[in-house]
Amino acid sequence: PCLSDKDNQSINWRHHTKSAVALQVFIADVIKSFVRSERNQQIMCDSGLNEYIVRFCKEALVDEQHPLHLSLQYIFERLAVQALMSKELRNFLRLGLKFSNDNDSDTNADFIPPVPLTRVKTLVSITTPRDFRSQGLSTMPPFIEMDMSTEGFACIFFPNIAPSHLQHQAMTQLPMHSPVITGLSTSGTSITGFGVGSYPGFQTNIIKSYGTGTQIETSVSGGIGSGDRTFPSPSGLTFKNGNVYKDELLTRVWCPTFIRESQWHHVAVTTVRNQTSCFHAIVGTPPIWRNYSRLAWKQGVCHMMDDPLDAAAVARVYMLGPHYLGSFQDVRMEDREDIFPLVLEDKIAFSINPKAYSYMTLNKIRKVYNRMDAKVIGKQLGISSHENATPIIVLHNAAGHLNGPARTLGGVLVGYLGIRKFNPSPVSMTINTVGGCSVLLGLVAMSRDIESLYAAVKALTCILRTSKIARQEMNQRRFYQTLGMLYKRKKTLLNSHILHLTFNLVGTVHSGHESSTIPNITAF
């Protein structure tokens, strides 16, 4: 048959459209396969993929019949578990909704459109805790990950942590939080160990440079093995001094029953500081001890104090948890406790956390700080101190503003492919910046059927389980009374499943185990 030019253009347009959609579906499936691992999720969050999905793929997220809907929703959920900014969360909840300020004559100003059920289910999915091995730690703190399988080394280097004018005997305490996330044997079923003998990846090294140029090191490295020694050992932690290049002089501490895979641990190390002219520290494995292994671990906040801590002080640091980013001047666990400093300001040598960082070059470090630090850092990285092209991640010293002597600039990440940083921002934290529990109670109020009410209550339960701030807001603003009033209005929609969620919310029932006490009197 004879076709006109207009018909040919229409056929070509439909053909190109189908090809474009097929290409988009293929690319979405490829990205979908990438986001199955936690590492890829975090890398894509740092690249802002969630923002691009919400900004450029609105139609696919709103229309459930769109060929890209399922793939994009899967990608969005996986990324939102790791980090979702306030603007992205707000825009996601508002997708497809019309408000009174929109230029639509058919929209009633008194009508509040409900959030679609699929949107609420997505909120439930990204707020449900997925890893129950973290000792009740539902949200991951900021961390530095060190993977020994790519380069064989990765560390945080602290230049000149002891100012030269502090020439006195002192004790140094180094508490830090770090989990072992992988450290598998050849069978891949258990952790075999890490330390000097097998995996030199979990070490705290203090290098002292004397005026004569001789370098002496004090080092402690933790390990997991088949021995019957537990942590701490009967003789305590031991230290040996020797040449920095001799691995056999390092000390290994066996702790087979103490360290568990995929759990955060608090490690406190005490050592004696001698008179030095230059005092550096390394957390991790420097390039000089390069050794490939399957060990990967995460370092959270790290502090160093020029003062010994007793068992009670270490226990208080442990109770503060890896999310604590302060300088131990107010260590109250509850508001009714008295304010007291755990450590004096002038005794804190450094305090770093992955949230406070900057990208700098050695030339900029040389100008902003001093030449000596730039020279020492350049020696660790193997580049000139005048180099002005290679970006370097500097973790700032959070104790730099405190009273006391001069302090180190902070820590420098040494590594290329084997070290990275990440600052999680899950929805349980972000929700507090867009309205908090008021938004969640609004979802309950807008529910029109049993399924939407159950999803809204489930989202509220998941947020309260993982967010301490949300629990405090519910108690302080009497939101449990508001929830009870909403239940009364929607009593025809209540069922046994919603009742069980409510018991979980109050705390009388959790994971199928009944409790004889009521942990939350206000909620009950």
Side-chain angles (χ1 to χ4, degrees), residues 455-474:
V457 177
K458 179 69 173 179
L460 177 63
T461 304
C462 294
I463 292 292
L464 294 181
R465 185 186 303 177
T466 57
S467 175
K468 181 179 179 181
I469 298 178
R471 292 193 295 269
Q472 293 176 348
E473 183 184 7
M474 289 289 290

Side-chain angles (χ1 to χ4, degrees), residues 1-5 7-8 11:
C2 182
L3 298 177
S4 63
D5 293 338
D7 294 334
N8 288 329
I11 293 175

Side-chain angles (χ1 to χ4, degrees), residues 83-222:
L84 188 65
M85 297 296 103
S86 304
K87 183 179 180 181
E88 300 163 11
L89 176 60
R90 186 183 296 108
N91 292 338
F92 174 73
L93 294 177
R94 289 179 173 180
L95 285 177
L97 301 182
K98 293 183 179 181
F99 299 94
S100 58
N101 58 350
D102 294 339
N103 296 325
D104 191 349
S105 58
D106 297 334
T107 302
N108 188 358
D110 297 331
F111 174 71
I112 302 177
V115 177
L117 178 60
T118 55
R119 208 76 44 78
V120 182
K121 288 183 177 180
T122 301
L123 186 63
V124 172
S125 176
I126 61 182
T127 55
T128 302
R130 285 174 167 78
D131 195 349
F132 297 96
R133 298 175 297 173
S134 56
Q135 298 171 312
L137 191 65
S138 301
T139 57
M140 188 177 296
F143 62 85
I144 302 295
E145 184 183 85
M146 305 182 195
D147 190 351
M148 303 294 293
S149 63
T150 55
E151 297 174 309
F153 71 92
C155 68
I156 308 175
F157 177 69
F158 301 88
N160 194 14
I161 61 176
S164 58
H165 61 274
L166 290 180
Q167 303 292 339
H168 63 277
Q169 292 284 342
M171 297 292 289
T172 303
Q173 187 79 15
L174 180 61
M176 54 189 174
H177 294 84
S178 57
V180 182
I181 58 173
T182 58
L184 305 179
S185 64
T186 54
S187 64
T189 58
S190 63
I191 302 177
T192 58
F194 53 98
V196 178
S198 54
Y199 299 108
F202 186 81
Q203 300 170 355
T204 302
N205 311 303
I206 299 175
I207 304 172
K208 309 170 185 177
S209 299
Y210 289 85
T212 59
T214 305
Q215 286 190 333
I216 303 295
E217 175 185 300
T218 299
S219 176
V220 62
S221 57

